[in-house]
Amino acid sequence: MSSNPAAALQRIDAGSLRDISEDNPNRVQQPVMQCVQIKPIAATTGGVERNRVILSDTRNYIQSMLAVHLNHLVEEKILRRGVLVQLLAYSANKVKAKRILIVTEIKVLEEFGEHEKLGDPKALELKVEDEEKPAPNAISSNGFYGVKQESQKQGRPMPSHTRPSSSMAHANIYPIEAISPYSNKWTIKARCTSKSDIKTWHNRNGEGKLFSVNLLDESGEIRATGFNDQCDQLYDLFQEGSVYYISSPCRVTFAKKQFSNLPNDYELHFEKDSTVEKAEEQDDVPQVRYNFTGIADLQSVEKDTTIDVIGVLKDVGETSQITSKTTSKPYDKRELTLVDDTGYSVRLTVWGKVASSFDIPPESVVAFKGVKVSDFGGRSLSLLSSGSVTANPDMPEAHKLKGWFEEQGRSGNFTTHANVQGTVSAGGGRSDPFKTISQVKEEQLGMSETPDFFAVKASTQYIKQDNFCYPSCLSEGCNKKVVEIDPGQWRCERCDKTHDRPEYRYIMSVNISDHTGQLWVSCFDETGRQMMGKSADELMEIKEVDEKALTEIFSDANCRTWNWKCKAKLDNFQEQQRVRYQVTSASALNFVTESQKLIELIKQYGTD
């Protein structure tokens, strides 16, 4: 790896940040910059951590926000302080008197190495005459974050919720991923993938009504809710499947995960002056985004997790009614049976109007978005009110299932999840096949669409000492990362509480090896405690007073052999697929058991 700062300095596109700010048509479209700082931002309830990165072009520096699908670059120390990066896709936005970049695709230029801050960059500020102008066109390799070019319509004013105002006509199109409480004067272009019925409430504080929609663009999804007057104004305007321009003001709040299955920390509340307009161009926004879980893998999914699933409809039950214990209202329900090419079947329940009007014939391929995993009578599924059903979708997964079912699935036998709480061994743990590291790689475990689980006996060769733990919330069952807002004040957004101290929890990257090869794995708190013999809190106390003693503890933890249970899962990195390995548990060797294994192996060679 090069350590020549002159070569790195020459490779950076100096002045490119100013060009982006001023929307220079001759700007470098995919500029190279230096990453000079990375700071994590705590996640909210059920959400994921975000990372703020400061980028420098040697003349100016700017704050940027990484898209969440790039988090693994920070976690695995690929994106780190001092490296050069090339911005492949990004959005330039204005927050108050500053610019901020939303980075959606980035490439780390490892060949230039790491360097101290290059040049003497100054903060990039908006020019005075630009402060009231909209942010420049967002820059993206696929052109998605463009500006809607249309003139303001003349004539008699229309209601604010449908009027295409000048701010909508010329405002920068934000990616949904970029919306936060700190965003202002934004417009998104998104498809309505789901619209709820109007719901009413009556309590001692009054009464009201609301409805919600799920909105989707290429960067992500977000839930938006309209209350009372906004419910009256907007409900008929929104149609499932249609694309809309939606412009602030909208209140951005932390997402209530008990009401939404979307992977977003935030949600929107429509306000009096919120603007919604149906887009003329309807084809440049994705239809729906799925993250399918195979039916066989449901045994390893935690109860109450929300997932997407696709399968062949094997059986459709009759509609029945149940009475809610909480509201005493009757609800229609219908039970379906799904099968897929993993050889498993599962019972899936649909409710309300979906149940009463369900008319998809058996042997159709059906995709369900937003179903909850239950362990009632074994693994089963239930469609959430915010979920959706699509019959015979035009996607590779559906075509593959259809071909499989025609060739062999129609006459196949299927294993059910009834009364199964997960595949277990006689000892009570998961019965994962034992592999050597070379077998894990040769058999390409984790390269399929669903995770693979395996066990391996291997020794620790190296434990990364930097960032081996994180500060977590003290509330029981939370474990979310907290942020120090003042000395002795640690804030948890999920619990909405402040603690006087955190509890540190392990999150380690470890290199393990056996006689056939080596593997990088990720380990979490329980495994870390076993390996280090101390809690992460104890190690942090040692780190504060004696770095040398900390290094010795890490050194002592190396070259120890454990039985590891691991999960291998396919991941995407810079348009390339690779496998990530996560330790689910580790146990010390039982030498009696290991001796018996060796004796059995010796017996296989005979005594001739």
Side-chain angles (χ1 to χ4, degrees):
M1 186 179 294
S2 171
S3 59
N4 185 350
L9 190 62
Q10 187 175 5
R11 182 66 181 89
I12 291 176
D13 293 304
S16 54
L17 286 174
R18 176 63 64 185
D19 288 342
I20 292 172
S21 172
E22 298 176 355
D23 198 19
N24 185 343
N26 298 318
R27 62 183 174 263
V28 177
Q29 295 297 313
Q30 296 184 339
V32 173
M33 304 181 187
Q34 185 185 26
C35 171
V36 295
Q37 188 178 10
I38 302 174
K39 184 177 181 180
I41 302 173
T44 60
T45 305
V48 293
E49 184 179 89
R50 304 290 295 272
N51 288 285
R52 182 181 290 124
V53 178
I54 296 181
L55 299 172
S56 163
D57 67 3
T58 71
R59 297 179 186 175
N60 295 104
Y61 64 84
I62 192 172
Q63 290 194 52
S64 65
M65 188 76 72
L66 283 189
V68 293
H69 69 269
L70 301 177
N71 279 359
H72 67 94
L73 298 180
V74 177
E75 295 166 0
E76 298 171 15
K77 303 297 185 291
I78 297 171
L79 177 60
R80 54 199 185 278
R81 182 177 177 180
V83 299
L84 268 58
V85 298
Q86 185 173 24
L87 306 189
L88 304 180
Y90 52 95
S91 169
N93 301 300
K94 183 182 77 172
V95 178
K96 296 183 179 179
K98 295 183 179 180
R99 295 288 188 208
I100 187 170
L101 287 181
I102 308 299
V103 179
T104 53
E105 292 296 337
I106 192 170
K107 180 180 180 181
V108 178
L109 305 180
E110 289 280 9
E111 63 268 25
F112 289 96
E114 302 174 39
H115 304 276
E116 293 299 319
K117 183 171 64 177
L118 299 170
D120 185 23
K122 304 294 189 297
L124 180 68
E125 301 287 348
L126 287 175
K127 293 182 178 179
V128 174
E129 62 268 24
D130 287 343
E131 289 191 3
E132 296 304 320
K133 293 181 181 179
N137 288 9
I139 315 302
S140 172
S141 58
N142 58 17
F144 170 68
Y145 304 127
V147 174
K148 182 181 179 235
Q149 301 291 342
E150 72 172 41
S151 59
Q152 182 177 1
K153 296 181 180 180
Q154 304 296 320
R156 184 177 178 181
M158 300 168 63
S160 63
H161 65 278
T162 60
R163 183 176 67 249
S165 64
S166 59
S167 63
M168 173 170 287
H170 303 290
N172 185 42
I173 302 299
Y174 257 50
I176 285 176
E177 173 95 358
I179 291 178
S180 76
Y182 312 105
S183 309
N184 62 349
K185 294 184 179 179
W186 49 259
T187 298
I188 60 173
K189 184 178 183 181
R191 189 179 302 278
C192 173
T193 59
S194 175
K195 182 176 82 168
S196 73
D197 294 332
I198 293 178
K199 301 176 182 178
T200 59
W201 76 85
H202 304 268
N203 57 37
R204 61 185 179 183
N205 296 321
E207 60 183 36
K209 55 187 172 182
L210 64 87
F211 84 104
S212 296
V213 290
N214 289 349
L215 302 170
L216 166 73
D217 71 8
E218 287 191 1
S219 73
E221 296 177 86
I222 196 167
R223 183 173 181 258
T225 302
F227 296 89
N228 299 324
D229 290 344
Q230 284 66 51
C231 179
D232 292 335
Q233 293 172 350
L234 297 175
Y235 185 79
D236 291 333
L237 179 61
F238 277 106
Q239 300 296 323
E240 288 188 3
S242 294
V243 177
Y244 299 86
Y245 289 102
I246 299 164
S247 186
S248 60
C250 281
R251 189 154 57 96
V252 183
T253 66
F254 290 118
K256 296 179 176 62
K257 292 299 181 179
Q258 66 269 37
F259 301 125
S260 174
N261 61 298
L262 300 184
N264 198 318
D265 288 348
Y266 304 108
E267 62 183 36
L268 304 177
H269 288 178
F270 295 118
E271 296 188 335
K272 177 182 177 182
D273 295 323
S274 299
T275 309
V276 179
E277 178 196 2
K278 190 171 182 179
E280 295 178 3
E281 176 57 61
Q282 293 280 309
D283 297 330
D284 59 347
V285 177
Q287 295 287 338
V288 68
R289 177 178 283 111
Y290 292 101
N291 184 19
F292 291 124
T293 297
I295 295 177
D297 295 312
L298 295 177
Q299 58 194 15
S300 60
V301 177
E302 291 185 9
K303 176 181 178 291
D304 295 331
T305 301
T306 301
I307 65 166
D308 304 332
V309 67
I310 187 171
V312 177
L313 194 58
K314 188 72 171 176
D315 183 64
V316 179
E318 295 295 327
T319 304
S320 60
Q321 277 197 339
I322 64 167
T323 301
S324 169
K325 293 181 179 179
T326 55
T327 64
S328 299
K329 293 181 179 179
Y331 285 93
D332 289 328
K333 63 174 288 191
R334 189 191 296 263
E335 292 190 350
L336 315 174
T337 301
L338 281 184
V339 299
D340 69 5
D341 52 2
T342 63
Y344 273 76
S345 69
V346 67
R347 174 170 48 87
L348 189 153
T349 305
V350 294
W351 306 88
K353 290 182 179 179
V354 177
S356 59
S357 62
F358 193 88
D359 60 356
I360 302 173
E363 300 191 357
S364 300
V365 177
V366 188
F368 293 86
K369 182 172 181 62
V371 294
K372 186 173 74 171
V373 178
S374 169
D375 61 359
F376 180 73
R379 285 293 186 263
S380 60
L381 303 174
S382 179
L383 182 68
L384 298 172
S385 60
S386 59
S388 62
V389 183
T390 305
N392 299 312
D394 184 10
M395 61 176 63
E397 296 91 340
H399 301 319
K400 178 185 174 184
L401 277 176
K402 190 67 175 178
W404 158 81
F405 189 76
E406 294 292 342
E407 292 179 7
Q408 52 186 291
R410 181 176 281 111
S411 58
N413 294 318
F414 297 93
T415 304
T416 72
H417 286 287
N419 299 315
V420 175
Q421 305 298 322
T423 303
V424 294
S425 65
R430 181 192 301 279
S431 181
D432 297 327
F434 180 84
K435 304 287 184 181
T436 62
I437 289 177
S438 65
Q439 287 174 325
V440 170
K441 296 180 178 180
E442 289 167 3
E443 296 175 16
Q444 297 186 323
L445 297 186
M447 289 295 289
S448 60
E449 296 177 356
T450 56
D452 288 316
F453 296 86
F454 64 91
V456 62
K457 182 172 70 174
S459 302
T460 54
Q461 296 301 308
Y462 179 71
I463 305 170
K464 287 188 178 180
Q465 188 171 329
D466 54 332
N467 298 322
F468 64 87
C469 65
Y470 71 96
S472 74
C473 179
L474 288 173
S475 299
E476 185 176 356
C478 180
N479 297 336
K480 287 293 182 180
K481 187 171 183 177
V482 294
V483 177
E484 189 175 23
I485 55 176
D486 284 307
Q489 297 285 306
W490 295 82
R491 179 69 178 169
C492 176
E493 294 293 347
R494 176 182 179 180
C495 297
D496 194 23
K497 292 181 180 178
T498 300
H499 304 282
D500 58 1
R501 65 177 180 85
E503 177 189 15
Y504 286 93
R505 295 178 64 84
Y506 286 108
I507 178 169
M508 300 192 299
S509 183
V510 182
N511 186 266
I512 62 173
S513 70
D514 64 8
H515 64 288
T516 67
Q518 60 86 28
L519 206 61
W520 280 99
V521 297
S522 299
C523 300
F524 299 103
D525 195 59
E526 184 177 348
T527 304
R529 288 171 179 263
Q530 290 178 279
M531 293 171 57
M532 308 306 295
K534 298 179 183 295
S535 69
D537 267 332
E538 292 174 300
L539 283 197
M540 284 299 290
E541 291 178 5
I542 294 172
K543 181 180 180 180
E544 292 295 324
V545 298
D546 193 344
E547 284 274 0
K548 183 177 179 181
L550 180 72
T551 300
E552 290 176 353
I553 292 172
F554 272 85
S555 179
D556 289 343
N558 284 325
C559 302
R560 298 195 177 190
T561 304
W562 301 83
N563 279 321
W564 311 84
K565 289 190 175 184
C566 304
K567 179 175 77 171
K569 186 178 181 181
L570 194 62
D571 188 22
N572 288 302
F573 170 58
Q574 295 186 354
E575 299 183 356
Q576 293 185 350
Q577 292 184 324
R578 50 118 181 250
V579 179
R580 298 178 69 182
Y581 304 96
Q582 177 182 316
V583 175
T584 58
S585 68
S587 59
L589 298 185
N590 182 319
F591 291 104
V592 174
T593 303
E594 295 299 323
S595 298
Q596 291 173 343
K597 290 180 182 178
L598 290 174
I599 291 171
E600 293 301 319
L601 285 173
I602 293 171
K603 287 180 178 178
Q604 293 178 13
Y605 290 91
T607 56
D608 294 341

